[in-house]
Amino acid sequence: MVAEKSQKDPKEYLPFLNTLKKMETNYQRFTIDKYLKRYEKAIRHLSKCGPEYFPECLNLIKDKNLYNEALKLYPPNSQQYKDISVAYGEHLMQERLYEPGGLVFARCGAHEKALDAFLACGSWQQALCAAAQLHLSRDQLAGFGRSLAGKLVEQRKHRDAATVLEQYAQDYEEAVLLLLEGAAWEEALRLVYKYNRLDIIETNIKPSILEAQKNYMAFLDSQTATFSRHKKRLLVVRELKEQAQQAHLDDDVPRGRESDLFSETSSVVSGSDMSGKYPHSNSRISARSSKNRRKAERKKHSLKEGSPLEDLALLEALNEVVQGTEKLKDEIHQILKVLFLFEFDEKGRELQKAFEDTLQLMERSLPEIWTLTHQQNSAAPVLGPNSTANSIMASYQQQKTSVPVLDAELFIPPKINQKTQWKLNLLE
Amino acid sequence: MVAEKSQKDPKEYLPFLNTLKKMETNYQRFTIDKYLKRYEKAIRHLSKCGPEYFPECLNLIKDKNLYNEALKLYPPNSQQYKDISVAYGEHLMQERLYEPGGLVFARCGAHEKALDAFLACGSWQQALCAAAQLHLSRDQLAGFGRSLAGKLVEQRKHRDAATVLEQYAQDYEEAVLLLLEGAAWEEALRLVYKYNRLDIIETNIKPSILEAQKNYMAFLDSQTATFSRHKKRLLVVRELKEQAQQAHLDDDVPRGRESDLFSETSSVVSGSDMSGKYPHSNSRISARSSKNRRKAERKKHSLKEGSPLEDLALLEALNEVVQGTEKLKDEIHQILKVLFLFEFDEKGRELQKAFEDTLQLMERSLPEIWTLTHQQNSAAPVLGPNSTANSIMASYQQQKTSVPVLDAELFIPPKINQKTQWKLNLLE
């Protein structure tokens, strides 16, 4: 068989065959399978050749990326199993697959390596399990806890970071500060009472709450401004496009006319897009905004005035502003509660009103922006007895309108869920 | 003025005026405003009459529900402020507004009442703050912690319940059990290592993980079955409706024909809707299912065979099955990790494959079910240079198709997010 598959001259492979004959059976089989590039089989045979061949085996495993297959060949508590696992984990780490890497390390008892891997990806619970198995001193554990908390703050997991600091670094004070940074007011209060440090309420909690209230006010302001600007521009663009279409039908106007129309009107709306340029750098809101900014960069359509799909871009941007506001409901509810609790009733009322106004502005504008719904609503349609989902779709389809499918959802207005209880009636 | 507004005979109100004249100014004003039903003003005057009039004032406040207004009349640290607050809180509790009630109690220092209110609504952090201010004994606090944890389990907040048991009842063992019930595997492991009780891994954690794997397998089975059944029926219903429509056009068939057609075919699909009838009663999955069941009861359209909007009901049900499966991704990822960690590779692979198959089945079927997208996709449409969101909508609109607006979203296929990393490549 070797002879068959080989491209070599008989003169060359005869010595090879002679060498083979002198080998121990398993090593012989290994050599043949390796020669035939059947590596999975090859390592199976090599694994039976005894521990002195293990280094050769491990090299082949690494070389051909056969870790999973190789692990099945050794009992889980053997040294070889551990060695292969460590090599596997290191391979995964190189590929930046930290969590799987950590799992492989943890599973074979390479706790120190597991610790690094889980720390790298912020798998904090697994990281702490690994740390426990290293029997660190109290100080070492505290130090590790601090690194871990830092990583978690980077990932904006303030609650988890606080848990680590409180329970593994015995630093509830820093934990409270992280909770405030993460707008987890009630959890911060719980810790303050748990450790009977009510002074922190005056020194940190109240100032943080007031600061956050200010930030929310500014954020809502900017959301409202962006929303109104985009909406206004959308109505202009639609008007212009319809005029252009009309002109096109009437006069068979040459191409290029449309874009002229657009540049003429570019002074209609002044100011650039402010969304995502929220000024406060260490607040929760600004983190959200910078995420939005990155998201905005991934957008499909350009908001640039006069760009051919500007109307779609505006719909998209409007959708995002509405959804961003809708998502604030829980956070707003949380801060309203503590504003009331600490008798900042005026600040609470102010925020509640601003949020309500913002939501109402958006809600009232939905039918103007997502006009399909608007028109159908006013026509009070009834579903015919014989119409089916199929027939409805077919009738849409007969129009052969050219909406790119991926944009279809742009034509569905975003949901403003009336049922979400964000309001605090105490502040009415 | 009193005379003007009064309907009484001068003979009657003259004695009233005489009584008024004898009164102290503030009480006089109070009496007049009360008489004129200007209650807000009335309590303002009465509040100035001195403490002996406070009971009368409080009665009026309660009677006319003027708590918020009244609280502004007394300094926050006065006994009157506290009395009004307590009355307010009790009023809110009667209205089952437990959280606002708790906040009102907490704010005026009525910690015992605040505790009950926060316990009733599961505001566990606030409840623990209130408890701290009652200076309970260690045993009392532990007992309260247990009640609170019970409430949180009812609300399926297993992690919070575990935190309470660990930190306030010093019962980390029970905490671990709750975490397992809530499928919070990594958090359970963290506690086990924190308290160096590795024996729990064998006695509880591994069995729970294996049990959960089995439950997920069964759940996926049932999701797949429901999905396939609904899909099959949808295609039948569409076919029948088109035939009926055709027949209607051809022969001007009398009404009622359509429903006959449907009852004839009711034997095509056998078996009732199984979704939500998942058998395991104490698992996380069954809780989800029973939620689904309640949700299903709220459905707009009937899945009953032959019901006029059966196709919409089927679309709705299919959408829900897909979304329910999509939402499992994170949970599946979590359990796959621990299955791998504890070397249950086979079980892990089995679940991973079942989940992947389920997702693929759904994905492949989307274009058949949500046909608008399908047809447009195959036509590879381009957006015309002059079309606007407006014109597209208008052209849809010209068809005067009669889709009820609220159902519009049924025609958008549910999203199966390809980017969610649920898979564990280690188990490939």
Side-chain angles (χ1 to χ4, degrees):
Chain A
M1 185 172 181
V2 174
E4 263 172 46
K5 296 237 172 183
S6 169
Q7 307 297 320
K8 288 180 187 167
D9 194 84
K11 270 182 205 158
E12 286 180 61
Y13 70 73
L14 272 175
F16 178 60
L17 283 180
N18 285 330
T19 326
L20 278 179
K21 272 178 200 159
K22 286 176 214 149
M23 288 174 179
E24 181 268 334
T25 322
N26 279 314
Y27 198 79
Q28 189 188 58
R29 287 177 181 166
F30 153 72
T31 312
I32 294 168
D33 281 327
K34 187 181 169 193
Y35 184 79
L36 298 175
K37 299 191 198 302
R38 299 189 299 207
Y39 299 112
E40 214 177 312
K41 277 193 174 178
I43 57 164
R44 199 184 315 142
H45 295 305
L46 189 54
S47 74
K48 290 175 191 154
C49 296
E52 67 273 30
Y53 290 97
F54 182 68
E56 189 175 354
C57 190
L58 187 56
N59 279 333
L60 189 60
I61 292 165
K62 287 184 191 176
D63 200 38
K64 303 300 172 193
N65 196 352
L66 289 169
Y67 304 100
N68 259 330
E69 296 75 8
L71 284 173
K72 289 171 198 150
L73 306 174
Y74 296 91
N77 46 8
S78 66
Q79 184 59 43
Q80 289 92 338
Y81 186 92
K82 185 164 177 173
D83 291 348
I84 297 167
S85 291
V86 168
Y88 190 12
E90 281 166 353
H91 167 72
L92 292 167
M93 296 292 282
Q94 275 182 345
E95 307 269 303
R96 299 179 170 273
L97 297 166
Y98 301 122
E99 194 176 38
L103 289 170
V104 169
F105 287 135
R107 186 160 111 141
C108 74
H111 301 303
E112 205 153 343
K113 285 172 184 289
L115 185 88
D116 292 340
F118 289 130
L119 176 60
C121 60
S123 281
W124 64 284
Q125 291 144 321
Q126 293 275 16
L128 291 166
C129 293
Q133 289 169 94
L134 289 172
H135 307 291
L136 303 177
S137 72
R138 197 184 147 102
D139 279 359
Q140 284 173 318
L141 188 59
F144 169 67
R146 285 181 193 284
S147 313
L148 187 54
K151 182 77 196 177
L152 291 168
V153 168
E154 265 176 41
Q155 301 180 333
R156 305 207 64 73
K157 297 182 192 161
H158 289 90
R159 275 166 205 259
D160 297 338
T163 300
V164 174
L165 283 185
E166 184 209 350
Q167 298 183 28
Y168 295 84
Q170 281 73 44
D171 189 350
Y172 67 83
E173 289 182 338
E174 186 64 23
V176 169
L177 297 184
L178 289 188
L179 290 169
L180 295 178
E181 203 183 311
W185 317 113
E186 292 188 332
E187 181 69 354
L189 275 174
R190 182 178 75 83
L191 283 199
V192 158
Y193 279 104
K194 183 178 169 191
Y195 292 96
N196 197 21
R197 280 291 305 279
L198 306 199
D199 57 302
I200 298 176
I201 294 179
E202 296 301 326
T203 56
N204 295 84
I205 295 190
K206 286 184 181 178
S208 290
I209 291 171
L210 290 174
E211 170 78 11
Q213 190 268 4
K214 237 170 54 192
N215 289 349
Y216 284 122
M217 289 300 293
F219 183 70
L220 288 176
D221 239 32
S222 124
Q223 291 285 89
T224 308
T226 307
F227 183 83
S228 301
R229 202 175 59 252
H230 284 341
K231 182 189 146 195
K232 195 173 153 194
R233 176 67 190 161
L234 178 66
L235 300 183
V236 170
V237 172
R238 284 177 176 173
E239 184 65 31
L240 288 173
K241 282 219 172 177
E242 260 164 39
Q243 283 172 14
Q245 220 169 1
Q246 204 53 48
H248 188 70
L249 290 174
D250 293 352
D251 321 329
D252 211 341
V253 179
R255 295 275 166 147
R257 167 76 190 278
E258 195 198 342
S259 58
D260 290 352
L261 252 169
F262 278 94
S263 36
E264 270 168 41
T265 63
S266 62
S267 60
V268 171
V269 183
S270 62
S272 63
D273 187 1
M274 301 192 315
S275 75
K277 286 180 186 156
Y278 194 70
H280 303 262
S281 75
N282 68 341
S283 77
R284 188 173 165 76
I285 293 169
S286 81
R288 182 186 307 111
S289 297
S290 86
K291 221 168 86 192
N292 283 352
R293 200 179 317 144
R294 263 174 280 126
K295 213 163 145 195
E297 283 159 10
R298 272 186 271 115
K299 286 233 184 65
K300 283 170 289 180
H301 308 304
S302 163
L303 273 171
K304 203 165 149 272
E305 284 188 14
S307 88
L309 298 179
E310 190 189 349
D311 47 354
L312 294 189
L314 286 164
L315 270 186
E316 198 170 18
L318 284 162
N319 196 319
E320 200 174 276
V321 176
V322 174
Q323 284 188 7
T325 309
E326 169 76 17
K327 269 186 205 144
L328 272 185
K329 280 179 177 169
D330 183 56
E331 275 184 50
I332 296 281
H333 182 65
Q334 293 302 326
I335 195 171
L336 289 178
K337 285 194 290 180
V338 285
L339 283 168
F340 176 84
L341 188 66
F342 293 122
E343 292 166 333
F344 299 127
D345 294 31
E346 267 323 304
K347 297 282 178 195
R349 259 189 281 274
E350 183 190 41
L351 179 59
Q352 176 150 301
K353 186 168 180 325
F355 192 53
E356 178 137 59
D357 288 350
T358 307
L359 286 175
Q360 278 181 358
L361 166 75
M362 292 177 178
E363 238 167 310
R364 274 199 317 267
S365 308
L366 291 188
E368 250 181 298
I369 297 169
W370 283 273
T371 38
L372 176 61
T373 304
H374 170 60
Q375 293 171 5
Q376 290 200 336
N377 258 333
S378 57
V382 195
L383 196 81
N386 284 320
S387 64
T388 64
N390 250 358
S391 69
I392 291 161
M393 285 168 176
S395 65
Y396 272 144
Q397 185 50 27
Q398 282 160 18
Q399 275 293 309
K400 294 246 192 294
T401 48
S402 43
V403 201
V405 169
L406 290 172
D407 290 329
E409 63 199 59
L410 282 181
F411 299 105
I412 300 283
K415 261 192 195 159
I416 296 186
N417 191 345
Q418 302 290 354
K419 281 180 203 148
T420 317
Q421 300 274 337
W422 64 269
K423 214 164 156 180
L424 196 62
N425 289 324
L426 297 172
L427 290 169
E428 285 287 274
Chain B
M1 186 174 179
V2 174
E4 262 173 47
K5 296 236 172 184
S6 169
Q7 307 297 319
K8 287 179 187 168
D9 193 85
K11 271 182 206 158
E12 286 179 61
Y13 70 73
L14 272 175
F16 178 60
L17 283 180
N18 285 330
T19 325
L20 277 179
K21 273 178 199 159
K22 287 175 213 150
M23 287 174 179
E24 180 268 334
T25 322
N26 278 314
Y27 197 79
Q28 189 188 57
R29 288 177 180 166
F30 153 72
T31 311
I32 294 169
D33 281 326
K34 188 182 168 194
Y35 185 78
L36 298 175
K37 298 191 197 303
R38 299 189 299 207
Y39 300 111
E40 216 177 310
K41 277 192 173 178
I43 57 165
R44 200 185 315 143
H45 296 304
L46 189 54
S47 73
K48 290 175 192 155
C49 296
E52 67 272 30
Y53 290 97
F54 182 67
E56 189 175 355
C57 190
L58 187 57
N59 279 333
L60 189 61
I61 292 165
K62 286 184 191 176
D63 200 39
K64 303 300 173 193
N65 196 351
L66 289 169
Y67 303 101
N68 259 331
E69 295 75 7
L71 284 173
K72 289 170 198 150
L73 306 174
Y74 297 91
N77 45 8
S78 66
Q79 184 59 42
Q80 288 93 337
Y81 186 92
K82 185 164 177 175
D83 291 348
I84 297 167
S85 291
V86 168
Y88 190 12
E90 281 166 353
H91 167 72
L92 292 166
M93 295 293 282
Q94 274 182 345
E95 307 269 302
R96 298 179 170 272
L97 297 166
Y98 301 122
E99 194 176 38
L103 289 170
V104 169
F105 287 136
R107 186 160 110 140
C108 74
H111 301 303
E112 205 153 343
K113 285 173 184 289
L115 185 87
D116 292 340
F118 289 130
L119 176 61
C121 61
S123 281
W124 65 284
Q125 291 144 320
Q126 293 275 16
L128 291 165
C129 292
Q133 289 168 95
L134 289 172
H135 307 292
L136 303 177
S137 73
R138 196 185 148 103
D139 278 358
Q140 283 173 319
L141 188 59
F144 169 67
R146 285 182 193 283
S147 313
L148 187 55
K151 182 77 196 175
L152 291 168
V153 168
E154 265 176 42
Q155 301 180 333
R156 305 207 64 75
K157 297 181 193 161
H158 289 90
R159 275 166 206 260
D160 297 338
T163 300
V164 174
L165 283 185
E166 185 209 350
Q167 298 182 30
Y168 295 84
Q170 282 72 45
D171 189 350
Y172 67 83
E173 289 182 338
E174 186 63 24
V176 169
L177 297 184
L178 289 187
L179 290 168
L180 295 177
E181 203 183 311
W185 317 113
E186 292 188 332
E187 181 70 353
L189 275 174
R190 182 178 75 81
L191 282 199
V192 158
Y193 279 104
K194 184 177 169 192
Y195 292 97
N196 197 22
R197 279 289 306 278
L198 306 199
D199 57 302
I200 298 176
I201 294 178
E202 296 301 327
T203 56
N204 296 84
I205 295 190
K206 286 184 181 178
S208 290
I209 291 170
L210 290 174
E211 170 78 11
Q213 190 268 4
K214 237 170 55 191
N215 289 348
Y216 284 121
M217 290 299 293
F219 184 70
L220 289 176
D221 240 33
S222 124
Q223 291 284 89
T224 309
T226 307
F227 183 83
S228 301
R229 201 175 60 252
H230 285 341
K231 182 189 145 195
K232 195 173 152 195
R233 176 67 191 162
L234 178 66
L235 300 183
V236 170
V237 172
R238 284 178 176 173
E239 184 66 30
L240 288 173
K241 282 220 172 177
E242 260 164 39
Q243 284 172 14
Q245 221 169 1
Q246 205 53 49
H248 187 70
L249 290 174
D250 293 351
D251 320 329
D252 211 340
V253 178
R255 295 275 166 147
R257 168 75 190 277
E258 195 197 343
S259 58
D260 290 352
L261 252 168
F262 277 95
S263 36
E264 271 168 42
T265 63
S266 62
S267 61
V268 171
V269 182
S270 62
S272 63
D273 187 1
M274 301 193 315
S275 74
K277 287 180 186 156
Y278 194 70
H280 302 262
S281 74
N282 69 342
S283 77
R284 188 172 165 78
I285 294 169
S286 81
R288 182 187 305 111
S289 298
S290 85
K291 221 168 87 193
N292 283 352
R293 200 179 317 143
R294 263 174 280 127
K295 213 163 144 194
E297 284 158 9
R298 272 186 272 115
K299 286 234 184 65
K300 283 170 289 180
H301 308 304
S302 163
L303 273 171
K304 204 165 148 271
E305 285 188 14
S307 87
L309 297 179
E310 190 189 349
D311 47 353
L312 294 188
L314 287 164
L315 269 186
E316 199 170 18
L318 284 162
N319 196 319
E320 201 174 275
V321 176
V322 174
Q323 284 188 7
T325 309
E326 170 77 16
K327 269 187 205 144
L328 272 185
K329 280 178 177 170
D330 182 56
E331 276 184 49
I332 296 281
H333 182 66
Q334 293 303 326
I335 195 170
L336 289 178
K337 285 194 290 181
V338 285
L339 283 167
F340 176 84
L341 188 66
F342 293 122
E343 292 166 334
F344 299 126
D345 294 30
E346 267 322 305
K347 297 282 178 195
R349 259 189 281 276
E350 184 189 40
L351 179 58
Q352 176 150 300
K353 186 168 180 325
F355 192 53
E356 178 138 59
D357 289 349
T358 307
L359 287 174
Q360 278 180 359
L361 165 75
M362 292 177 178
E363 239 167 310
R364 274 200 316 268
S365 308
L366 291 189
E368 250 180 297
I369 297 169
W370 282 272
T371 38
L372 176 62
T373 305
H374 171 60
Q375 293 171 5
Q376 289 200 336
N377 258 333
S378 58
V382 195
L383 196 80
N386 284 320
S387 63
T388 64
N390 250 358
S391 70
I392 291 161
M393 285 169 176
S395 65
Y396 272 145
Q397 186 51 27
Q398 281 160 18
Q399 275 293 309
K400 294 244 192 294
T401 48
S402 44
V403 201
V405 170
L406 290 172
D407 290 329
E409 63 199 58
L410 282 181
F411 299 105
I412 300 283
K415 261 193 195 159
I416 296 186
N417 191 346
Q418 302 289 354
K419 280 180 204 147
T420 317
Q421 300 273 337
W422 64 269
K423 215 165 156 179
L424 196 62
N425 290 324
L426 297 172
L427 290 170
E428 284 287 274

